[in-house]
Amino acid sequence: MSLSIIIPAYNETNQIDHTVKKLNTLKKKINNHEIIFIDDFSEDNTYQKLKKIEKTHNRIRVFKNKKKGLGQAVELGVLKSKKENVCLFMCDLSDDVNDIIRYYKCIKNNPELDAVFGTRFSKNSNVTGYPFLKLIINRVANNFIRFLFLSNYNDFTNAFKMYKKKTILKLFPIVSENFNIFLELPLKIITRKYKYKIISINWFGRKFGKSKFQIKEIGSMYIFTMLYCFLEKVLLNKK
């Protein structure tokens, strides 16, 4: 078994060193892994900094996105990956690196799985510093999606998940251009009846820089993705 960790990065020059340092701890637990950074048209020196790091870290590979947007960044990362499984991980370190190990063990010990989904909203999760208003919007939206798709999952919109590469390739083409990519992928897994497991994960929020997520700007994109996947489920019933 092997793992590619795919990390989109946009204007993260103050964050990169901390993220790389934390990810370096994985080599003791996951021997066969690579880390792929996709620079998404950063306006600072994120790309230049990553290229310097790439020269001294043999597990790290760095690419420039070809078309601006998280959807394209994820797609490029998957296509560039060389391992059996892919983990989508945000550069801001909001999620717990140790949960990557838990994901990997789960998919390694259960070869029938196509994906592992984490939830920040279970009794075993540790969530720190989640903005109250954002939390309310998150829970309303995720529970509505859960009801609409008759699912037992409750954290669709979190980016941090793991997929078998051969499975995620079957979800292409990706239609989402922004953060809604992280809703599109799990909904396709669920509606196309691929096998997945849900585990509890932790969330700590970013310590450096500023969040790129703006609910006012991308709310309509989430609605589009939800309706797209629902129509696919009802009309196409594809896998």
Side-chain angles (χ1 to χ4, degrees), residues 65-77:
N65 202 1
K66 297 178 180 179
K67 180 182 177 182
K68 189 174 183 180
L70 275 169
Q72 177 62 35
V74 169
E75 183 173 309
L76 179 60

Side-chain angles (χ1 to χ4, degrees), residues 131-143 213 215:
F132 181 73
L133 180 59
K134 185 178 176 181
L135 176 64
I136 296 300
I137 295 172
N138 177 294
R139 300 323 304 138
V140 170
N142 274 279
N143 280 301
F213 183 90
I215 187 63

Side-chain angles (χ1 to χ4, degrees), residues 107 110-117 151-153 162-172 184-198 232 237-239:
I107 207 164
N110 298 273
E112 77 283 358
L113 291 179
D114 293 291
V116 182
F117 296 161
S151 173
N152 62 340
Y153 187 44
M162 188 174 290
Y163 304 85
K164 281 185 177 174
K165 181 179 177 179
K166 65 180 182 181
T167 300
I168 200 171
L169 285 172
K170 294 176 183 177
L171 308 182
F172 286 17
E184 178 181 342
L185 294 177
L187 281 181
K188 284 182 173 179
I189 287 286
I190 291 169
T191 59
R192 298 184 188 186
K193 303 187 187 310
Y194 288 108
K195 294 183 179 179
Y196 63 94
K197 184 173 182 178
I198 302 168
E232 179 185 280
N237 193 28
K238 66 186 294 184
K239 181 171 182 177

Side-chain angles (χ1 to χ4, degrees), residues 36 54 69 142:
I36 299 176
E54 182 183 34
N142 274 279

